[in-house]
Amino acid sequence: MALLARRLVQLVGVLLVVTFFSYLLLNLLPGNVAVAVLGPNATAAGIAHVTAELHLNQPLPQRYIEWLWQVLQGNFGESYHTHEAVSTSLAQRLPVTIELLVISQILAFAFAIPLGILAALRPGGWLDNISSITAFGFLALPPYVLGVILVLIFAVSLHWFPATGYTPFLTDPGANIHDMILPSITLAVGSLAVYLRVLRAEMIATLQEDYITMAVAKGMPTWRILTRHALRPSTIALVTVAGLNVGALIGGAFLVEYIFALPGVGVLAIESIFSKDYLVVQGIVVVVAVAYVVVNFCVDLLYLFLDPRARGVQTLG
Amino acid sequence: MAEALVAIEDPAVLPDTVGVRQPRRFTVLFWIAVVWLVLIIALAVFASVLPLDSPTQVFACIPNSAPSWHHLLGCDELGRDMLSRIVFGARVSLEVGFTAVFIGLVFGGTAGLVAGYFGGKTDLIISSAMNVLLAFPALVLALAVIAFLGQSLRNVILILGLLSIAPLARLVRASTVVYAQREFVTAARMMGFRSRRILFREVLPNVMPSTLSFAIVAVAVAIVAEGALSFLGLSVRPPAPTWGNMIAEGSTYLSENAWLALCPAAVLCLTVLALNFAGDGLRSFFDVKDSAL
């Protein structure tokens, strides 16, 4: 419990730092922030209004605290182009991005776990060699290349899937899944390669442990040894890497949304960058960075849960 | 960037190779990778003296024409020479990749050396700063900084350099900690050498090989990241060619002429693959564990 409390304090500290840096982004704007936020059509009245609303004439620490207080209440300001609250657009876009992330991770694990186990069973065997080489190749395929190739094969040539487009899940679940297949595969491939390599390496190490030899000597069936005795300790590394991978995954999701024209947070971010809708960009950065920190915090907790040693050390110390 | 680099850390040594003395030799793949890299770098460096049409010259040849003797990789939808665009695109990719990682090496490497050698409070402060840098998803931070700072080659290099500081610092710190406890460092300390001399003359040369092989892989990561920014239209502005914006432009003509997207995509992937192989090859070459000392 003491450990949990310390982690929570750390989490709050990191969140404060991350939100502060997200807030500082506004200060990177050249010239007067209010003028930049309003764009070329800024009027004197508008500038005065924005300056008051963003507390721009107050010292930085105070501005940050005022802003953070608003953010904590879910108020990220409003777009100066569409006059829509940033929180409203985020709420509309987030489900698409989350769906994409979840489906891609399910796909990645569904392929990486069996392949990793089988490859580790015979290191240097044909399956191991093929999967290692493929994984190495996949690592050199960024989403914007893989996405274009998949669109070319499955949308342009074979007409199996749409190249772009999105149907909300509640409108038509079948069409929604159909639209999400290509984007999810595009995003899954990178994670798949990473997970496969990590799980394979961990499994090879685990399979050399004495208790595995013991289980073999007892005459346990191989599949049972692999799934019950070897997989569980090996998943610890897998979980850690999956947590570290989230950052790359979010970046990848932005690109995939852009390629397949999915109305997610990534496309919103890119549109807002081009229309110089700075408060929307800032809102997205805050939400994404906080989500990333919180996910990694949860992975840390999961780690404690999965690995009894991580808990044991703490009670002794 | 750290996330992408996780993948590169190699799996455990195979059981049947442990303890077997392996000759230190580079594989054929390593040499193929080196040849490709030399070719790309040479083309990029000598781009302006090569007999190429300007990469932005429209109607230099018939739009969408297939590869021919005068235009080795054919022409794009505006009749611009593809080879020339790829070669000039290589300039952007390589410039961004190498400069960004150089920034990462100078700042991250120094921070890692200092943190790993002195330990204690110094280490705590530097490591916390690095953790803050790693607390943002890399591409999102890059997008945000470009959005607020403005879009230019310099800003792309700056942000990717900033992003490569933390992973390199972590790596250098980890290997510095190991060497700082070795006998020759203790001996140098006993002889009364100053810390700066010990760091640069005793520790640095030992940390260098693993750092450089990692840095080569980091260049690949930076090139992919620049590609992503160009693909989204946030790096060098068109019509100046980059591999990323060529892929993006080509992808709108997939049904008419898929070559326009596939050609730069293939060059980008081969370069990334070559950098990964080169980094990997160098790493196992320098790896003391593998050489069975």
Side-chain angles (χ1 to χ4, degrees):
Chain A
M1 262 1 256
L3 181 66
L4 190 66
R6 217 172 55 200
R7 285 283 165 84
L8 272 173
V9 172
Q10 266 178 7
L11 175 72
V12 172
V14 175
L15 285 177
L16 282 176
V17 174
V18 165
T19 48
F20 183 65
F21 277 96
S22 311
Y23 182 70
L24 275 188
L25 280 174
L26 269 185
N27 281 42
L28 289 179
L29 286 174
N32 186 326
V33 175
V35 176
V37 163
L38 284 170
N41 301 327
T43 57
I47 291 171
H49 177 70
V50 171
T51 308
E53 199 173 66
L54 298 180
H55 307 284
L56 289 175
N57 39 18
Q58 288 168 3
L60 185 65
Q62 202 180 338
R63 264 161 66 192
Y64 166 65
I65 291 167
E66 298 268 6
W67 173 81
L68 188 65
W69 180 240
Q70 293 295 316
V71 165
L72 283 175
Q73 295 165 330
N75 178 10
F76 297 90
E78 66 171 31
S79 156
Y80 286 97
H81 295 266
T82 60
H83 295 287
E84 196 176 8
V86 176
S87 49
T88 316
S89 348
L90 270 172
Q92 276 169 5
R93 307 291 193 117
L94 265 174
V96 181
T97 307
I98 292 173
E99 185 189 356
L100 177 66
L101 290 172
V102 169
I103 299 182
S104 78
Q105 289 308 284
I106 292 174
L107 281 177
F109 281 116
F111 284 92
I113 291 176
L115 277 176
I117 294 175
L118 289 176
L121 196 55
R122 289 187 212 297
W126 62 271
L127 185 74
D128 183 33
N129 283 339
I130 292 177
S131 62
S132 292
I133 293 169
T134 319
F136 212 82
F138 278 170
L139 286 176
L141 270 184
Y144 50 91
V145 169
L146 186 67
V148 168
I149 294 174
L150 289 180
V151 166
L152 178 64
I153 298 174
F154 294 104
V156 174
S157 304
L158 295 172
H159 299 290
W160 287 1
F161 300 103
T164 57
Y166 177 78
T167 319
F169 187 79
L170 293 175
T171 317
D172 183 353
N176 171 274
I177 298 292
H178 193 242
D179 288 343
M180 289 302 261
I181 289 178
L182 277 190
S184 310
I185 293 177
T186 310
L187 192 56
V189 160
S191 321
L192 170 61
V194 177
Y195 300 160
L196 179 63
R197 276 170 74 95
V198 170
L199 184 62
R200 171 190 170 275
E202 278 298 306
M203 285 288 282
I204 288 176
T206 313
L207 287 176
Q208 289 170 32
E209 297 276 348
D210 292 340
Y211 66 87
I212 298 289
T213 320
M214 173 70 182
V216 176
K218 278 198 303 191
M220 283 181 91
T222 312
W223 62 268
R224 208 179 149 78
I225 296 175
L226 287 177
T227 51
R228 295 299 292 260
H229 291 232
L231 186 58
R232 187 153 171 206
S234 307
T235 41
I236 295 167
L238 196 59
V239 167
T240 314
V241 171
L244 284 172
N245 190 37
V246 172
L249 207 58
I250 295 173
F254 278 29
L255 288 163
V256 168
E257 285 172 13
Y258 181 78
I259 298 168
F260 292 95
L262 300 177
V265 179
V267 166
L268 178 66
I270 294 155
E271 283 167 356
S272 315
I273 290 174
F274 280 114
S275 62
K276 302 204 182 302
D277 211 340
Y278 295 112
L279 292 186
V280 181
V281 179
Q282 188 187 34
I284 292 172
V285 172
V286 174
V287 169
V288 169
V290 166
Y292 180 51
V293 171
V294 171
V295 166
N296 270 314
F297 173 73
C298 295
V299 168
D300 267 3
L301 291 188
L302 195 62
Y303 189 82
L304 288 182
F305 172 75
L306 275 175
D307 189 355
R309 281 169 302 184
R311 277 170 283 164
V313 172
Q314 206 51 41
T315 47
L316 286 175
Chain B
M1 230 154 137
E3 311 96 9
L5 290 171
V6 172
I8 314 300
E9 265 162 50
D10 208 57
V13 184
L14 293 186
D16 50 342
T17 57
V18 175
V20 178
R21 195 188 180 97
Q22 290 206 328
R24 286 187 165 206
R25 216 177 278 152
F26 292 119
T27 58
V28 182
L29 268 176
F30 175 83
W31 288 116
I32 297 177
V34 170
V35 169
W36 174 263
L37 291 175
V38 169
L39 178 75
I40 290 285
I41 293 172
L43 283 175
V45 170
F46 297 111
S48 40
V49 293
L50 291 172
L52 290 168
D53 290 311
S54 154
T56 50
Q57 170 68 49
V58 292
F59 299 114
C61 49
I62 302 160
N64 287 317
S65 58
S68 64
W69 182 242
H70 290 288
H71 303 282
L72 289 175
L73 292 176
C75 293
D76 72 359
E77 78 285 356
L78 292 176
R80 295 174 295 194
D81 182 50
M82 285 288 279
L83 178 65
S84 163
R85 290 180 67 71
I86 283 186
V87 167
F88 279 89
R91 276 195 160 180
V92 175
S93 290
L94 295 176
E95 189 182 341
V96 170
F98 283 100
T99 322
V101 172
F102 181 75
I103 294 174
L105 272 178
V106 171
F107 291 97
T110 315
L113 268 180
V114 170
Y117 182 75
F118 292 106
K121 277 225 174 80
T122 323
D123 185 20
L124 188 71
I125 293 170
I126 293 179
S127 295
S128 314
M130 295 305 142
N131 284 338
V132 169
L133 276 177
L134 291 171
F136 285 92
L139 184 70
V140 178
L141 184 60
L143 283 180
V145 172
I146 299 279
F148 285 94
L149 211 55
Q151 169 183 4
S152 71
L153 183 64
R154 194 199 61 180
N155 289 350
V156 170
I157 291 176
L158 277 182
I159 181 61
L160 294 183
L162 180 74
L163 286 171
S164 56
I165 288 177
L168 283 161
R170 279 197 163 181
L171 177 92
V172 172
R173 181 192 165 276
S175 38
T176 305
V177 167
V178 174
Y179 282 105
Q181 293 162 352
R182 292 281 290 272
E183 297 80 358
F184 60 88
V185 173
T186 319
R189 213 178 285 151
M190 292 302 138
M191 285 159 76
F193 288 136
R194 271 177 309 174
S195 301
R196 201 197 315 165
R197 191 200 135 104
I198 300 177
L199 263 184
F200 286 100
R201 297 281 289 272
E202 311 288 342
V203 180
L204 185 64
N206 286 295
V207 172
M208 218 51 183
S210 63
T211 309
L212 281 185
S213 39
F214 186 78
I216 292 175
V217 179
V219 171
V221 177
I223 288 180
V224 168
E226 192 281 329
L229 291 173
S230 299
F231 184 81
L232 299 174
L234 290 169
S235 179
V236 184
R237 281 173 205 274
T242 69
W243 293 345
N245 72 27
M246 288 176 75
I247 299 173
E249 258 176 58
S251 68
T252 55
Y253 299 95
L254 276 185
S255 48
E256 297 92 8
N257 188 358
W259 174 255
L260 298 182
L262 292 183
C263 194
V267 175
L268 174 87
C269 290
L270 285 175
T271 307
V272 169
L273 208 55
L275 285 164
N276 285 351
F277 273 124
D280 216 44
L282 277 183
R283 218 244 346 254
S284 47
F285 183 77
F286 288 125
D287 201 347
V288 187
K289 267 181 297 180
D290 282 1
S291 65
L293 274 177

